[in-house]
Amino acid sequence: MRLLLVEDDDLLADSLSEVLEDEGYRVDVAALVREAKALMASEEYNLVILDLGLPDGSGLDLLGCWRREGHALPILALTARDSWEDKVSGLRRGADDYLTKPYHEAELLARLHALLRRGSNAVESILRLNGIALDEATKQVCGIDDRWHTLTATEFCLLRYLMRHPGRVHSKIRLLDQLYTLEQDAAAPNLVEVYVGRLRRLLGKNVIQTRRGQGYVFPSH
């Protein structure tokens, strides 16, 4: 699952990115309004964490712009101001939730998880499909052997993306976009094959199906 973090404080952005990546997310970072606009126009994200105090423009204006353009993904707004007027203004512009700096990372993660569950209409942190149960909180998966297995961050990220988009064929390039951030060196497409192979050995060879010349699909039933 891919997130966009819009934050101009380098130290805070690095720290938060590390926390989010440890949780199994892939994070692209923008420090300026123009960078955030360019990324939103060219990439596909599941959620945005948006600092409203940016050096080259208003985060509130950026938020309103995205909503007018039809971007419906969840947006968690961050601000150093804690007046209720600021919060009301942010929510009216289209923020889904609001967090005041300084914040505890555990609270940010809890709010982020809640927004993602709300967006997917999920009522718990466990995805269940075709006899596979994926616990998003613990990054563990349970297959046909009824045993829970701990996944690596990349295995978890790949399986969660496929399970959240069942029945759709995903190319290797699309899956690589979900697994690696823009700041990382370009990854070889065969890495997808490697991780799909690991998941198949763990859960069964038919859990993820291959469409020759197209990509991979997690069956919807």
Side-chain angles (χ1 to χ4, degrees), residues 90-221:
L91 294 171
R92 284 179 173 172
R93 291 288 190 98
D96 294 279
D97 201 356
Y98 213 100
L99 196 58
T100 303
K101 298 179 180 179
Y103 53 81
H104 292 288
E105 291 174 347
E107 181 182 4
L108 184 144
L109 290 174
R111 289 175 182 264
L112 183 151
H113 293 158
L115 288 175
L116 291 172
R117 288 198 301 270
R118 186 190 309 167
S120 64
N121 295 319
V123 296
E124 59 177 341
S125 64
I126 298 181
L127 291 174
R128 302 180 189 275
L129 192 62
N130 298 343
I132 304 299
L134 179 65
D135 190 327
E136 296 182 279
T138 64
K139 302 183 185 63
Q140 292 184 315
V141 65
C142 182
I144 56 176
D145 61 356
D146 289 326
R147 295 174 54 196
W148 287 94
H149 305 274
T150 299
L151 300 173
T152 67
T154 303
E155 291 168 347
F156 170 71
C157 189
L158 175 60
L159 182 59
R160 177 172 59 181
Y161 184 76
L162 290 170
M163 290 183 69
R164 283 188 175 273
H165 302 85
R168 291 165 54 180
V169 179
H170 303 280
S171 69
K172 292 180 181 178
I173 298 302
R174 168 63 68 185
L175 294 176
L176 282 174
D177 284 343
Q178 295 299 317
L179 297 176
Y180 295 92
T181 68
L182 295 175
E183 295 181 351
Q184 292 176 314
D185 294 334
N190 65 359
L191 279 180
V192 172
E193 297 178 13
V194 171
Y195 285 102
V196 166
R198 290 185 184 180
L199 291 172
R200 283 172 172 166
R201 287 192 293 273
L202 196 62
L203 303 172
K205 63 180 181 179
N206 294 320
V207 166
I208 301 172
Q209 298 178 0
T210 300
R211 296 288 188 269
R212 292 193 178 278
Q214 300 178 62
Y216 298 97
V217 59
F218 193 101
S220 57
H221 55 75

Side-chain angles (χ1 to χ4, degrees), residues 41-69:
S42 62
E43 306 296 329
E44 180 179 336
Y45 296 103
N46 300 96
L47 181 143
V48 176
I49 301 173
L50 174 62
D51 183 3
L52 299 183
L54 298 170
D56 66 332
S58 165
L60 279 176
D61 290 345
L62 177 60
L63 174 57
C65 176
W66 280 340
R67 291 311 191 204
R68 290 192 300 272
E69 291 174 350

Side-chain angles (χ1 to χ4, degrees), residues 83-97:
S83 71
W84 67 267
E85 292 94 344
D86 291 329
K87 294 181 180 179
V88 168
S89 180
L91 294 171
R92 284 179 173 172
R93 291 288 190 98
D96 294 279
D97 201 356

